[in-house]
Amino acid sequence: MARQMTFGLIVGNRGFFPSHLAATGRTEMIAAIEKQGHKVVVTSPEETSFGAVETYEEAKICAALFKKHAAEIDGIIITLPNFGEERGMADALRLADLRVPVLIQATPDDAGKMSIAFRRDSFCGKMSICNNLRQYGIKYTLTTLHTEAPASPEFEKDLQTFAATCRIVRGFKNLRIGAIGARPAAFNTVRYSEKLLENSGITVDTLDLSEVFGRIAKLPDTDGGVQEKLAAIKSYLPTNNTPEAALIKMSKLGVVIDGWMKSNDLDVTSVQCWTSMEEFFGVVPCTIMSMMSEKLLPSACEVDTMGTLSMHALTLASETPSALLDWNNNYGGDPDKAVCFHCSNLPKHFFREGGVKMDFQQIIAGTVGKEQTYGTLDGKVKAGAMTFARFSTDDFTGKIQGYVGEGHFTDDALDTFGGAGVVQIPNMQKLLRYICENGFEHHVAANFSHCAAAVEEAAKNYLGWGMSVHE
C-alpha cells in the first residue's frame, strides 16, 4: 500500500486580482491532493485572508504552522489561482526553513473569462515566484505544463511524480547504509567514496565478515530467531532441492544481519559474496538479500554500496522492490535489446509467477563446489515497465553523478540460469556508449515502474548530483 504523504500548501493571492479565485483555488488544490490519499497542512480562512498567503504577517503565520508540522511535511506545494504575491510566498518558505521539495503550480486562464472579475494572470505570476525563489536560494520543481488546473490529468500525474521525488529526498536524508564485508579484490568497479556520501548526509556503517561468522557460530540451530527465519525462507520460495543444513546457515545469516541493522539503525545494505561467503561459510547470501529487497530494504552484492543506493532511489520512487543487475549480454542482433542478469539475489517481485526456485550458484560452484553455493534464486524475469538507474562517486571531480532512463523487460525467450531477463531500451547503443565513455559500473539498479523523472529531479535538483537522463 502506498505511503500516505503530507504536503504543506501555500495558496498565492494578490489583492488587486480576484480574491475569490484564491478561495476556490485553495479548495480545488486540497481536493486534488486528498484525491491521491495525501494529507494537507494549510492556513485556514480564519488564520489568513481566504486561507492564502499575501502579506509578511500571513507568511509568518504560514511558516509557524509548517514548523509545527515539520516532522510530517514531505514537500510543499505552491498553488497560484491568480498572480499571487511572490514576496509573501517566498518569505513563508524562508521562515519555515523546512528544506523539502517545493512544487509550483499555476492555474490556467479561461480565454472566455478574461474580464477583471475572473482574470488570473497565474501564467505571469509563476515566473515572478520562480524569480524570487531563485533569489532566496530555494530549490523548486515545475509542473510539466506551465499552467495546469488542479483537477487536470496533467497535474494528477505531476503530483504523483512530485510525491515520488519527495520520498527519495526524505529517504536519502540521514540515510544509513550497512556495508557487510570487504570489496572483493577482483571488483575494482564497485569502489566508491564514503566521504562524498557523507558530504551528502549519507553514512556508511561497516561490518567485517569475520564478525558475521563469529556471531553466527554463537547461534544454536534451535534458536527461536533462527527457526523463525527458517520458516520465512521456506515460505518465501521453493527450497525442495536445498539441503536443510544450508537453509539453517542462511537463517543464521539472516538473523545476524537483521540484528545488526536494527541495533545500528541501518536502512539498506551491501554484502560481500564472491567468493569468501561460499568458501568459508558454505552458502550464498542471495536468498537473504532477496528477502530484504522484497521488503523494500534494498541489498546489493559485491559490497556495491552505490548500487544499493541506486536501488533505494527506485524503491522510494515506486514503492516497489528494486534489483541490482548486470548489463550482461547482447540479445541476438537487436541493438536496442540486452540481457540483464544476476546469479541471483533478485527480489521475488521480479520473477514470472510461479517461476522461481532456490538453487545452487552455477558460476561459483565451478571453483568452490556445488554443496557450498546453495541459496541463489533461479528464474526468468517477468515482462513489464522498467526504470534503470546508477549513481557513482567520482573522486577526480569530488562529485556524485549518475544516469537514469526507462525501457521495458520483454517476454523474449532466454535459456540460461540465475535471474535473467531481456530488456528493450530505445537508443540503447547510445546508452552503452555513455556508460563506457564515462566509466560507469557494469551494475545497474532496475525497477518495474516508470519513475525516471522523479529520480532525476530528486538527485539533480535537490541533492545536487550530476544526472544524465537517457532518451
Side-chain angles (χ1 to χ4, degrees):
M1 183 178 177
R3 181 174 75 85
Q4 184 183 52
M5 304 185 70
T6 300
F7 294 109
L9 176 61
I10 300 177
V11 182
N13 186 35
R14 183 169 274 186
F16 45 81
F17 286 88
S19 293
H20 68 88
L21 295 175
T24 57
R26 177 182 181 276
T27 301
E28 291 168 358
M29 182 55 75
I30 291 174
I33 297 170
E34 291 182 342
K35 181 182 177 183
Q36 294 193 20
H38 305 307
K39 295 169 63 177
V40 185
V41 175
V42 59
T43 54
S44 69
E46 291 71 37
E47 293 172 307
T48 64
S49 181
F50 303 99
V53 174
E54 183 174 5
T55 67
Y56 188 69
E57 285 303 312
E58 290 175 333
K60 290 195 292 184
I61 293 170
C62 178
L65 177 65
F66 284 1
K67 282 185 174 181
K68 182 179 177 181
H69 295 274
E72 308 162 43
I73 292 176
D74 297 289
I76 294 172
I77 298 170
I78 290 177
T79 182
L80 299 175
N82 64 29
F83 188 96
E85 174 52 62
E86 67 252 32
R87 293 175 300 171
M89 293 183 287
D91 285 337
L93 288 172
R94 173 183 274 175
L95 293 171
D97 195 30
L98 298 192
R99 304 189 185 189
V100 296
V102 177
L103 178 66
I104 303 176
Q105 173 272 338
T107 302
D109 271 299
D110 185 332
K113 294 182 178 180
M114 295 291 285
S115 68
I116 192 65
F118 290 97
R119 182 166 160 163
R120 297 180 184 275
D121 283 17
S122 308
F123 187 102
C124 183
K126 183 173 180 178
M127 300 175 195
S128 292
I129 183 58
C130 290
N131 177 281
N132 275 256
L133 295 187
R134 186 70 180 268
Q135 292 184 45
Y136 280 44
I138 297 173
K139 296 174 182 178
Y140 53 88
T141 296
L142 302 175
T143 53
T144 302
L145 301 178
H146 188 67
T147 56
E148 297 177 352
S152 68
E154 292 84 5
F155 183 73
E156 182 176 14
K157 184 176 180 181
D158 280 339
L159 181 56
Q160 291 170 353
T161 300
F162 181 65
T165 298
C166 292
R167 286 193 295 270
I168 296 171
V169 173
R170 178 182 278 272
F172 276 25
K173 187 175 183 180
N174 299 320
L175 177 65
R176 292 175 57 79
I177 301 176
I180 302 173
R183 172 185 58 79
F187 281 78
N188 279 355
T189 188
V190 298
R191 286 173 169 171
Y192 70 99
S193 169
E194 287 189 35
K195 292 181 179 180
L196 290 181
L197 287 179
E198 198 72 66
N199 193 50
S200 287
I202 298 170
T203 296
V204 178
D205 237 8
T206 60
L207 180 68
D208 193 80
L209 276 188
S210 65
E211 296 181 67
V212 174
F213 297 158
R215 294 177 190 184
I216 287 173
K218 295 179 181 179
L219 282 173
D221 294 357
T222 55
D223 177 84
V226 173
Q227 290 299 312
E228 184 178 342
K229 182 65 72 174
L230 178 62
I233 291 172
K234 289 182 176 180
S235 66
Y236 183 65
L237 79 165
T239 61
N240 303 338
N241 299 321
T242 304
E244 189 74 8
L247 294 173
I248 290 289
K249 287 183 178 182
M250 294 175 216
S251 302
K252 291 181 178 181
L253 175 64
V255 168
V256 168
I257 292 177
D258 288 349
W260 178 64
M261 290 181 68
K262 184 177 181 180
S263 63
N264 289 277
D265 200 19
L266 301 172
D267 303 285
V268 298
T269 54
S270 58
V271 181
Q272 180 181 352
C273 170
W274 205 291
T275 59
S276 178
M277 186 76 70
E278 296 76 27
E279 288 189 65
F280 302 106
F281 183 53
V283 294
V284 294
C286 301
T287 294
I288 296 302
M289 297 171 70
S290 172
M291 293 171 70
M292 289 192 286
S293 294
E294 184 77 9
K295 292 180 179 179
L296 309 188
L297 301 171
S299 187
C301 52
E302 315 313 346
V303 202
D304 187 354
T305 298
M306 298 308 294
T308 200
L309 190 65
S310 308
M311 293 168 67
H312 194 42
L314 296 176
T315 294
L316 290 166
S318 70
E319 299 183 285
T320 61
S322 299
L324 192 70
L325 298 164
D326 283 357
W327 294 117
N328 210 78
N329 312 90
N330 60 287
Y331 187 75
D334 192 329
D336 286 340
K337 289 184 178 180
V339 176
C340 279
F341 165 90
H342 245 167
C343 42
S344 81
N345 60 9
L346 277 59
K348 191 168 61 174
H349 176 75
F350 267 64
F351 294 97
R352 298 175 187 177
E353 188 69 28
V356 60
K357 66 181 187 300
M358 186 183 291
D359 209 338
F360 69 96
Q361 215 281 19
Q362 294 191 37
I363 301 175
I364 302 178
T367 56
V368 304
K370 174 182 175 179
E371 68 283 355
Q372 298 288 99
T373 64
Y374 281 103
T376 190
L377 280 76
D378 185 83
K380 299 300 179 291
V381 174
K382 64 187 178 183
M386 176 200 193
T387 296
F388 56 88
R390 179 72 208 190
F391 300 131
S392 184
T393 57
D394 187 342
D395 291 28
F396 299 106
T397 62
K399 297 179 180 178
I400 298 175
Q401 59 183 10
Y403 66 84
V404 67
E406 295 175 351
H408 288 85
F409 288 101
T410 76
D411 274 325
D412 288 306
L414 193 62
D415 184 15
T416 187
F417 56 90
V422 177
V423 299
Q424 184 172 31
I425 297 169
N427 302 312
M428 190 170 192
Q429 295 304 307
K430 176 183 175 183
L431 170 65
L432 297 172
R433 178 174 289 273
Y434 177 83
I435 291 170
C436 291
E437 286 181 344
N438 290 276
F440 278 102
E441 298 80 353
H442 67 286
H443 287 169
V444 65
N447 186 275
F448 277 93
S449 68
H450 280 162
C451 60
V455 174
E456 182 207 12
E457 183 72 4
K460 184 177 181 179
N461 192 15
Y462 294 103
L463 298 172
W465 299 352
M467 288 296 295
S468 171
V469 179
H470 175 68
E471 296 176 346

